Amino acid sequence: ALLLPELTGRSLMEDTQMLSARCDRSSKSTDHEAFAPMSSRQFSTYTSRRPDAKALLPPILSGSLPAATVRRPLHSDHDLCLLLPPPVDRLWLFLPRNHRPDPEIVLQIAQRRNLSVGDAMCAALVDRYEHRSIVEYFRQKYGESQNWSEWDASEWCRARRGRSIDASVLFCVVYSCPQIQNADNVALASCGIRHLSLLQIWKRITVLDLSDNPQLIDISPLGQRDSVLQHLDVSACGKMWDLSCLSICPRLQSVRASHCHSLRGGDKIPAGPALECLDVSFSACADLSALTAAINLRELTVKGNLELLGIDPLASL
């Protein structure tokens, strides 16, 4: 049924009766001009004058039907990710953009060399000799152990004469030795690591050592509300300037950020509710006002901070 333009000055019941009569008459007549629908402007004017009109209107007129589902186009990264099988697709998304190989090229390598898609991805990231050394080293050390909880990558770097662990190497390690994701104590000290996006696959990390990585800048992938991280060491990360993302980690108890010369303090230092120990010695922290939110803070080390203006914000703790 459609409303008519002449339904204006009458009561709602009279409008409804006239509408029913006109519908019955138009169904028997072939004259379609006798049954003229309202325009959208007339309809909105009519319903604004009578708010109770929508209760008697069909759903198609009252607008109570659910809106049609809008199909939004997929992001290009996620669209390409669909070409890869799991778990390679998830690991591919965690790689930094400048480290992601083209999935179509990876599939071509897998078909041409008769490899699995994961091995073809590793072949696209590192050369086959380095891939072989990674697989042999980590599978020999961690492959047979099922319940190990510690992983120290610095040993591999020292064995390779200072070879850094970038995102490509870390991808090969995680793919070749998937049980490494169960580690809750991870040490990446002095590994030359720059990107932490792949660390998001570790859901059980409670202790993380990232010290002595001078090229590490962004640690935002660690700031997760469901994180179980408790102890973090980012000492001697000279370019580290923002640790505020750690404030949302619900279980973070201690942070060691000594010799972080780019850390200026203020709202850039962590101040989570569970934080108990914070070391920002020999950094450039001049303002500790953010620590007023660290209600459980028990130990604070600020030695060597020549730019520190005062510790007045600590009086409220």
Side-chain angles (χ1 to χ4, degrees):
L2 298 176
L3 293 178
L4 304 177
E6 55 262 38
L7 301 181
T8 51
R10 306 176 182 85
S11 65
L12 182 62
M13 184 60 66
E14 292 175 347
D15 286 349
T16 307
Q17 293 175 354
M18 179 177 291
L19 177 65
S20 301
R22 184 64 63 89
C23 290
D24 293 339
R25 195 162 56 250
S26 62
S27 61
K28 299 177 182 179
S29 174
T30 58
D31 186 7
H32 298 287
E33 295 182 355
F35 186 65
M38 263 190 179
S39 65
S40 59
R41 183 174 181 179
Q42 291 172 329
F43 174 75
S44 60
T45 304
Y46 175 72
T47 54
S48 64
R49 291 179 181 176
R50 295 195 173 117
D52 54 344
K54 288 188 177 182
L56 297 178
L57 295 178
I60 192 64
L61 293 180
S62 62
S64 61
L65 288 180
T69 303
V70 179
R71 294 186 176 272
R72 298 181 179 179
L74 288 174
H75 193 273
S76 58
D77 292 342
H78 294 81
D79 195 9
L80 291 174
C81 178
L82 296 176
L83 300 176
L84 302 172
V88 182
D89 54 349
R90 179 167 168 261
L91 296 177
W92 183 85
L93 278 177
F94 282 143
L95 283 171
R97 292 182 181 272
N98 57 344
H99 283 75
R100 293 175 184 171
D102 190 345
E104 295 182 354
I105 296 179
V106 172
L107 295 176
Q108 293 176 5
I109 295 175
Q111 185 177 8
R112 184 171 62 252
R113 300 186 185 180
N114 196 18
L115 300 173
S116 65
V117 177
D119 291 335
M121 180 73 73
C122 295
L125 291 171
V126 297
D127 60 77
R128 59 180 181 178
Y129 299 105
E130 186 174 21
H131 180 214
R132 184 183 303 172
S133 66
I134 293 172
V135 173
E136 291 177 355
Y137 179 85
F138 287 101
R139 283 185 178 176
Q140 181 180 0
K141 187 169 184 178
Y142 300 107
E144 298 178 357
S145 177
Q146 299 296 329
N147 298 318
W148 57 275
S149 60
E150 297 183 2
W151 179 53
D152 189 356
S154 58
E155 298 180 0
W156 182 83
C157 293
R158 289 192 295 267
R160 296 299 178 273
R161 298 180 179 180
R163 172 70 165 90
S164 62
I165 292 188
D166 56 9
S168 301
V169 174
L170 195 57
F171 178 96
C172 299
V173 173
V174 174
Y175 176 76
S176 304
C177 192
Q179 64 270 23
I180 211 171
Q181 303 176 33
N182 298 324
D184 55 10
N185 189 338
V186 177
L188 294 171
S190 305
C191 292
I193 193 168
R194 298 186 180 188
H195 305 282
L196 302 181
S197 55
L198 271 172
L199 287 183
Q200 298 179 67
I201 64 176
W202 273 273
K203 297 300 183 181
R204 303 180 182 179
I205 293 183
T206 58
V207 181
L208 179 59
D209 185 2
L210 296 173
S211 60
D212 198 15
N213 286 296
Q215 300 300 322
L216 182 60
I217 300 177
D218 183 19
I219 62 169
S220 58
L222 301 179
Q224 304 292 334
R225 296 188 181 277
D226 57 347
S227 172
V228 297
L229 183 64
Q230 298 179 9
H231 306 282
L232 175 65
D233 188 354
V234 289
S235 300
C237 294
K239 294 185 178 181
M240 185 74 61
W241 64 277
D242 189 0
L243 299 176
S244 58
C245 61
L246 302 175
S247 299
I248 65 174
C249 297
R251 303 184 184 181
L252 186 62
Q253 299 177 7
S254 67
V255 177
R256 186 180 180 187
S258 62
H259 296 84
C260 292
H261 306 299
S262 299
L263 186 62
R264 299 294 177 181
D267 58 350
K268 304 302 181 183
I269 55 179
L275 187 65
E276 299 180 359
C277 178
L278 177 62
D279 183 1
V280 288
S281 57
F282 298 99
S283 62
C285 289
D287 182 12
L288 302 177
S289 58
L291 291 180
T292 55
I295 57 178
N296 292 318
L297 187 64
R298 299 181 180 180
E299 181 179 349
L300 175 64
T301 306
V302 291
K303 63 181 180 181
N305 284 328
L306 302 179
E307 299 182 12
L308 184 62
L309 300 178
I311 58 174
D312 295 339
L314 304 181
S316 60
L317 297 178

PDB file of all heavy atoms in Angstrom, residues 122-145:
ATOM      1  N   CYS A 122      60.003 -18.869   2.438  1.00  0.00           N
ATOM      2  CA  CYS A 122      61.341 -18.738   3.020  1.00  0.00           C
ATOM      3  C   CYS A 122      62.389 -18.536   1.929  1.00  0.00           C
ATOM      4  O   CYS A 122      63.338 -17.755   2.093  1.00  0.00           O
ATOM      5  CB  CYS A 122      61.676 -19.975   3.842  1.00  0.00           C
ATOM      6  SG  CYS A 122      60.642 -20.210   5.308  1.00  0.00           S
ATOM      7  N   ALA A 123      62.212 -19.236   0.790  1.00  0.00           N
ATOM      8  CA  ALA A 123      63.158 -19.071  -0.312  1.00  0.00           C
ATOM      9  C   ALA A 123      63.088 -17.684  -0.921  1.00  0.00           C
ATOM     10  O   ALA A 123      64.087 -17.181  -1.437  1.00  0.00           O
ATOM     11  CB  ALA A 123      62.881 -20.136  -1.383  1.00  0.00           C
ATOM     12  N   ALA A 124      61.924 -17.063  -0.854  1.00  0.00           N
ATOM     13  CA  ALA A 124      61.792 -15.701  -1.374  1.00  0.00           C
ATOM     14  C   ALA A 124      62.344 -14.661  -0.409  1.00  0.00           C
ATOM     15  O   ALA A 124      62.671 -13.549  -0.830  1.00  0.00           O
ATOM     16  CB  ALA A 124      60.323 -15.402  -1.674  1.00  0.00           C
ATOM     17  N   LEU A 125      62.465 -15.019   0.874  1.00  0.00           N
ATOM     18  CA  LEU A 125      62.944 -14.065   1.872  1.00  0.00           C
ATOM     19  C   LEU A 125      64.456 -14.125   2.064  1.00  0.00           C
ATOM     20  O   LEU A 125      65.111 -13.090   2.204  1.00  0.00           O
ATOM     21  CB  LEU A 125      62.233 -14.317   3.214  1.00  0.00           C
ATOM     22  CG  LEU A 125      60.738 -13.986   3.251  1.00  0.00           C
ATOM     23  CD1 LEU A 125      60.114 -14.477   4.549  1.00  0.00           C
ATOM     24  CD2 LEU A 125      60.506 -12.489   3.089  1.00  0.00           C
ATOM     25  N   VAL A 126      65.015 -15.335   2.123  1.00  0.00           N
ATOM     26  CA  VAL A 126      66.460 -15.502   2.336  1.00  0.00           C
ATOM     27  C   VAL A 126      66.980 -16.496   1.298  1.00  0.00           C
ATOM     28  O   VAL A 126      66.215 -17.253   0.693  1.00  0.00           O
ATOM     29  CB  VAL A 126      66.752 -16.007   3.766  1.00  0.00           C
ATOM     30  CG1 VAL A 126      66.292 -14.998   4.805  1.00  0.00           C
ATOM     31  CG2 VAL A 126      66.095 -17.359   4.024  1.00  0.00           C
ATOM     32  N   ASP A 127      68.293 -16.532   1.127  1.00  0.00           N
ATOM     33  CA  ASP A 127      68.857 -17.492   0.194  1.00  0.00           C
ATOM     34  C   ASP A 127      68.808 -18.890   0.801  1.00  0.00           C
ATOM     35  O   ASP A 127      68.680 -19.073   2.013  1.00  0.00           O
ATOM     36  CB  ASP A 127      70.295 -17.117  -0.172  1.00  0.00           C
ATOM     37  CG  ASP A 127      71.205 -17.072   1.044  1.00  0.00           C
ATOM     38  OD1 ASP A 127      71.601 -18.150   1.532  1.00  0.00           O
ATOM     39  OD2 ASP A 127      71.504 -15.957   1.526  1.00  0.00           O
ATOM     40  N   ARG A 128      68.924 -19.897  -0.021  1.00  0.00           N
ATOM     41  CA  ARG A 128      68.695 -21.267   0.416  1.00  0.00           C
ATOM     42  C   ARG A 128      69.756 -21.754   1.392  1.00  0.00           C
ATOM     43  O   ARG A 128      69.463 -22.588   2.259  1.00  0.00           O
ATOM     44  CB  ARG A 128      68.634 -22.207  -0.786  1.00  0.00           C
ATOM     45  CG  ARG A 128      69.877 -22.219  -1.649  1.00  0.00           C
ATOM     46  CD  ARG A 128      69.703 -23.187  -2.798  1.00  0.00           C
ATOM     47  NE  ARG A 128      70.903 -23.239  -3.645  1.00  0.00           N
ATOM     48  CZ  ARG A 128      71.012 -24.043  -4.698  1.00  0.00           C
ATOM     49  NH1 ARG A 128      69.984 -24.826  -5.022  1.00  0.00           N
ATOM     50  NH2 ARG A 128      72.114 -24.031  -5.436  1.00  0.00           N
ATOM     51  N   TYR A 129      70.971 -21.222   1.320  1.00  0.00           N
ATOM     52  CA  TYR A 129      72.008 -21.655   2.253  1.00  0.00           C
ATOM     53  C   TYR A 129      71.723 -21.133   3.662  1.00  0.00           C
ATOM     54  O   TYR A 129      71.877 -21.852   4.647  1.00  0.00           O
ATOM     55  CB  TYR A 129      73.378 -21.181   1.756  1.00  0.00           C
ATOM     56  CG  TYR A 129      73.763 -21.730   0.417  1.00  0.00           C
ATOM     57  CD1 TYR A 129      73.713 -20.931  -0.725  1.00  0.00           C
ATOM     58  CD2 TYR A 129      74.153 -23.075   0.276  1.00  0.00           C
ATOM     59  CE1 TYR A 129      74.046 -21.443  -1.972  1.00  0.00           C
ATOM     60  CE2 TYR A 129      74.479 -23.589  -0.961  1.00  0.00           C
ATOM     61  CZ  TYR A 129      74.439 -22.774  -2.084  1.00  0.00           C
ATOM     62  OH  TYR A 129      74.769 -23.292  -3.319  1.00  0.00           O
ATOM     63  N   GLU A 130      71.296 -19.886   3.741  1.00  0.00           N
ATOM     64  CA  GLU A 130      70.950 -19.339   5.047  1.00  0.00           C
ATOM     65  C   GLU A 130      69.695 -20.006   5.597  1.00  0.00           C
ATOM     66  O   GLU A 130      69.597 -20.276   6.797  1.00  0.00           O
ATOM     67  CB  GLU A 130      70.740 -17.827   4.942  1.00  0.00           C
ATOM     68  CG  GLU A 130      70.518 -17.162   6.281  1.00  0.00           C
ATOM     69  CD  GLU A 130      70.462 -15.656   6.170  1.00  0.00           C
ATOM     70  OE1 GLU A 130      70.206 -15.151   5.060  1.00  0.00           O
ATOM     71  OE2 GLU A 130      70.686 -14.984   7.188  1.00  0.00           O
ATOM     72  N   HIS A 131      68.747 -20.291   4.713  1.00  0.00           N
ATOM     73  CA  HIS A 131      67.544 -20.988   5.158  1.00  0.00           C
ATOM     74  C   HIS A 131      67.886 -22.373   5.703  1.00  0.00           C
ATOM     75  O   HIS A 131      67.360 -22.794   6.735  1.00  0.00           O
ATOM     76  CB  HIS A 131      66.559 -21.118   3.990  1.00  0.00           C
ATOM     77  CG  HIS A 131      65.291 -21.812   4.357  1.00  0.00           C
ATOM     78  ND1 HIS A 131      64.612 -22.629   3.473  1.00  0.00           N
ATOM     79  CD2 HIS A 131      64.582 -21.847   5.511  1.00  0.00           C
ATOM     80  CE1 HIS A 131      63.538 -23.120   4.069  1.00  0.00           C
ATOM     81  NE2 HIS A 131      63.500 -22.659   5.303  1.00  0.00           N
ATOM     82  N   ARG A 132      68.793 -23.051   5.043  1.00  0.00           N
ATOM     83  CA  ARG A 132      69.191 -24.377   5.497  1.00  0.00           C
ATOM     84  C   ARG A 132      69.873 -24.298   6.857  1.00  0.00           C
ATOM     85  O   ARG A 132      69.634 -25.126   7.737  1.00  0.00           O
ATOM     86  CB  ARG A 132      70.116 -25.022   4.473  1.00  0.00           C
ATOM     87  CG  ARG A 132      70.524 -26.450   4.809  1.00  0.00           C
ATOM     88  CD  ARG A 132      71.492 -26.976   3.762  1.00  0.00           C
ATOM     89  NE  ARG A 132      70.916 -26.897   2.420  1.00  0.00           N
ATOM     90  CZ  ARG A 132      71.609 -27.143   1.310  1.00  0.00           C
ATOM     91  NH1 ARG A 132      72.903 -27.481   1.398  1.00  0.00           N
ATOM     92  NH2 ARG A 132      71.021 -27.067   0.135  1.00  0.00           N
ATOM     93  N   SER A 133      70.724 -23.294   7.051  1.00  0.00           N
ATOM     94  CA  SER A 133      71.408 -23.158   8.335  1.00  0.00           C
ATOM     95  C   SER A 133      70.426 -22.824   9.452  1.00  0.00           C
ATOM     96  O   SER A 133      70.565 -23.310  10.582  1.00  0.00           O
ATOM     97  CB  SER A 133      72.484 -22.076   8.233  1.00  0.00           C
ATOM     98  OG  SER A 133      71.908 -20.800   8.026  1.00  0.00           O
ATOM     99  N   ILE A 134      69.419 -22.011   9.146  1.00  0.00           N
ATOM    100  CA  ILE A 134      68.403 -21.682  10.156  1.00  0.00           C
ATOM    101  C   ILE A 134      67.626 -22.921  10.558  1.00  0.00           C
ATOM    102  O   ILE A 134      67.424 -23.200  11.750  1.00  0.00           O
ATOM    103  CB  ILE A 134      67.454 -20.596   9.610  1.00  0.00           C
ATOM    104  CG1 ILE A 134      68.199 -19.279   9.420  1.00  0.00           C
ATOM    105  CG2 ILE A 134      66.271 -20.400  10.538  1.00  0.00           C
ATOM    106  CD1 ILE A 134      67.387 -18.216   8.719  1.00  0.00           C
ATOM    107  N   VAL A 135      67.207 -23.692   9.557  1.00  0.00           N
ATOM    108  CA  VAL A 135      66.418 -24.893   9.840  1.00  0.00           C
ATOM    109  C   VAL A 135      67.240 -25.903  10.635  1.00  0.00           C
ATOM    110  O   VAL A 135      66.764 -26.462  11.637  1.00  0.00           O
ATOM    111  CB  VAL A 135      65.906 -25.508   8.520  1.00  0.00           C
ATOM    112  CG1 VAL A 135      65.246 -26.846   8.793  1.00  0.00           C
ATOM    113  CG2 VAL A 135      64.951 -24.556   7.827  1.00  0.00           C
ATOM    114  N   GLU A 136      68.483 -26.129  10.218  1.00  0.00           N
ATOM    115  CA  GLU A 136      69.319 -27.113  10.908  1.00  0.00           C
ATOM    116  C   GLU A 136      69.596 -26.695  12.346  1.00  0.00           C
ATOM    117  O   GLU A 136      69.536 -27.520  13.264  1.00  0.00           O
ATOM    118  CB  GLU A 136      70.628 -27.311  10.141  1.00  0.00           C
ATOM    119  CG  GLU A 136      70.459 -28.000   8.796  1.00  0.00           C
ATOM    120  CD  GLU A 136      71.777 -28.110   8.044  1.00  0.00           C
ATOM    121  OE1 GLU A 136      72.779 -27.552   8.555  1.00  0.00           O
ATOM    122  OE2 GLU A 136      71.792 -28.740   6.972  1.00  0.00           O
ATOM    123  N   TYR A 137      69.898 -25.416  12.559  1.00  0.00           N
ATOM    124  CA  TYR A 137      70.269 -24.969  13.898  1.00  0.00           C
ATOM    125  C   TYR A 137      69.086 -25.048  14.859  1.00  0.00           C
ATOM    126  O   TYR A 137      69.180 -25.639  15.939  1.00  0.00           O
ATOM    127  CB  TYR A 137      70.806 -23.542  13.839  1.00  0.00           C
ATOM    128  CG  TYR A 137      71.199 -22.989  15.193  1.00  0.00           C
ATOM    129  CD1 TYR A 137      72.456 -23.247  15.729  1.00  0.00           C
ATOM    130  CD2 TYR A 137      70.316 -22.218  15.939  1.00  0.00           C
ATOM    131  CE1 TYR A 137      72.822 -22.754  16.966  1.00  0.00           C
ATOM    132  CE2 TYR A 137      70.670 -21.713  17.174  1.00  0.00           C
ATOM    133  CZ  TYR A 137      71.923 -21.978  17.682  1.00  0.00           C
ATOM    134  OH  TYR A 137      72.270 -21.499  18.914  1.00  0.00           O
ATOM    135  N   PHE A 138      67.978 -24.473  14.487  1.00  0.00           N
ATOM    136  CA  PHE A 138      66.863 -24.380  15.418  1.00  0.00           C
ATOM    137  C   PHE A 138      66.116 -25.707  15.554  1.00  0.00           C
ATOM    138  O   PHE A 138      65.601 -26.002  16.630  1.00  0.00           O
ATOM    139  CB  PHE A 138      65.911 -23.260  14.992  1.00  0.00           C
ATOM    140  CG  PHE A 138      66.464 -21.888  15.240  1.00  0.00           C
ATOM    141  CD1 PHE A 138      67.014 -21.147  14.206  1.00  0.00           C
ATOM    142  CD2 PHE A 138      66.461 -21.355  16.510  1.00  0.00           C
ATOM    143  CE1 PHE A 138      67.526 -19.886  14.434  1.00  0.00           C
ATOM    144  CE2 PHE A 138      66.978 -20.090  16.747  1.00  0.00           C
ATOM    145  CZ  PHE A 138      67.513 -19.357  15.714  1.00  0.00           C
ATOM    146  N   ARG A 139      66.042 -26.495  14.481  1.00  0.00           N
ATOM    147  CA  ARG A 139      65.400 -27.799  14.622  1.00  0.00           C
ATOM    148  C   ARG A 139      66.254 -28.742  15.449  1.00  0.00           C
ATOM    149  O   ARG A 139      65.728 -29.575  16.208  1.00  0.00           O
ATOM    150  CB  ARG A 139      65.125 -28.398  13.249  1.00  0.00           C
ATOM    151  CG  ARG A 139      63.918 -27.774  12.550  1.00  0.00           C
ATOM    152  CD  ARG A 139      63.619 -28.473  11.253  1.00  0.00           C
ATOM    153  NE  ARG A 139      62.444 -27.907  10.601  1.00  0.00           N
ATOM    154  CZ  ARG A 139      61.996 -28.271   9.399  1.00  0.00           C
ATOM    155  NH1 ARG A 139      62.636 -29.211   8.713  1.00  0.00           N
ATOM    156  NH2 ARG A 139      60.921 -27.711   8.889  1.00  0.00           N
ATOM    157  N   GLN A 140      67.559 -28.622  15.344  1.00  0.00           N
ATOM    158  CA  GLN A 140      68.438 -29.463  16.138  1.00  0.00           C
ATOM    159  C   GLN A 140      68.371 -29.091  17.618  1.00  0.00           C
ATOM    160  O   GLN A 140      68.434 -29.960  18.483  1.00  0.00           O
ATOM    161  CB  GLN A 140      69.877 -29.340  15.639  1.00  0.00           C
ATOM    162  CG  GLN A 140      70.866 -30.210  16.409  1.00  0.00           C
ATOM    163  CD  GLN A 140      72.288 -30.053  15.882  1.00  0.00           C
ATOM    164  OE1 GLN A 140      72.525 -29.281  14.941  1.00  0.00           O
ATOM    165  NE2 GLN A 140      73.205 -30.781  16.465  1.00  0.00           N
ATOM    166  N   LYS A 141      68.228 -27.813  17.891  1.00  0.00           N
ATOM    167  CA  LYS A 141      68.237 -27.368  19.283  1.00  0.00           C
ATOM    168  C   LYS A 141      66.868 -27.448  19.931  1.00  0.00           C
ATOM    169  O   LYS A 141      66.751 -27.775  21.113  1.00  0.00           O
ATOM    170  CB  LYS A 141      68.756 -25.940  19.358  1.00  0.00           C
ATOM    171  CG  LYS A 141      68.956 -25.460  20.779  1.00  0.00           C
ATOM    172  CD  LYS A 141      69.718 -24.158  20.822  1.00  0.00           C
ATOM    173  CE  LYS A 141      69.997 -23.758  22.266  1.00  0.00           C
ATOM    174  NZ  LYS A 141      70.783 -22.519  22.352  1.00  0.00           N
ATOM    175  N   TYR A 142      65.808 -27.142  19.176  1.00  0.00           N
ATOM    176  CA  TYR A 142      64.478 -27.070  19.771  1.00  0.00           C
ATOM    177  C   TYR A 142      63.483 -28.058  19.163  1.00  0.00           C
ATOM    178  O   TYR A 142      62.367 -28.174  19.648  1.00  0.00           O
ATOM    179  CB  TYR A 142      63.908 -25.661  19.607  1.00  0.00           C
ATOM    180  CG  TYR A 142      64.733 -24.585  20.260  1.00  0.00           C
ATOM    181  CD1 TYR A 142      65.498 -23.709  19.488  1.00  0.00           C
ATOM    182  CD2 TYR A 142      64.765 -24.451  21.629  1.00  0.00           C
ATOM    183  CE1 TYR A 142      66.251 -22.705  20.077  1.00  0.00           C
ATOM    184  CE2 TYR A 142      65.518 -23.450  22.227  1.00  0.00           C
ATOM    185  CZ  TYR A 142      66.258 -22.585  21.445  1.00  0.00           C
ATOM    186  OH  TYR A 142      67.013 -21.612  22.036  1.00  0.00           O
ATOM    187  N   GLY A 143      63.876 -28.761  18.120  1.00  0.00           N
ATOM    188  CA  GLY A 143      62.903 -29.606  17.439  1.00  0.00           C
ATOM    189  C   GLY A 143      62.415 -30.774  18.258  1.00  0.00           C
ATOM    190  O   GLY A 143      61.253 -31.142  18.221  1.00  0.00           O
ATOM    191  N   GLU A 144      63.305 -31.411  19.031  1.00  0.00           N
ATOM    192  CA  GLU A 144      62.914 -32.594  19.788  1.00  0.00           C
ATOM    193  C   GLU A 144      62.234 -32.251  21.101  1.00  0.00           C
ATOM    194  O   GLU A 144      61.531 -33.071  21.667  1.00  0.00           O
ATOM    195  CB  GLU A 144      64.150 -33.462  20.060  1.00  0.00           C
ATOM    196  CG  GLU A 144      64.815 -33.990  18.795  1.00  0.00           C
ATOM    197  CD  GLU A 144      66.053 -34.809  19.111  1.00  0.00           C
ATOM    198  OE1 GLU A 144      66.395 -34.906  20.319  1.00  0.00           O
ATOM    199  OE2 GLU A 144      66.661 -35.336  18.165  1.00  0.00           O
ATOM    200  N   SER A 145      62.464 -31.062  21.608  1.00  0.00           N
ATOM    201  CA  SER A 145      61.868 -30.669  22.877  1.00  0.00           C
ATOM    202  C   SER A 145      60.445 -30.177  22.646  1.00  0.00           C
ATOM    203  O   SER A 145      60.195 -29.335  21.796  1.00  0.00           O
ATOM    204  CB  SER A 145      62.701 -29.567  23.534  1.00  0.00           C
ATOM    205  OG  SER A 145      62.095 -29.132  24.726  1.00  0.00           O
TER     206      SER A 145
END
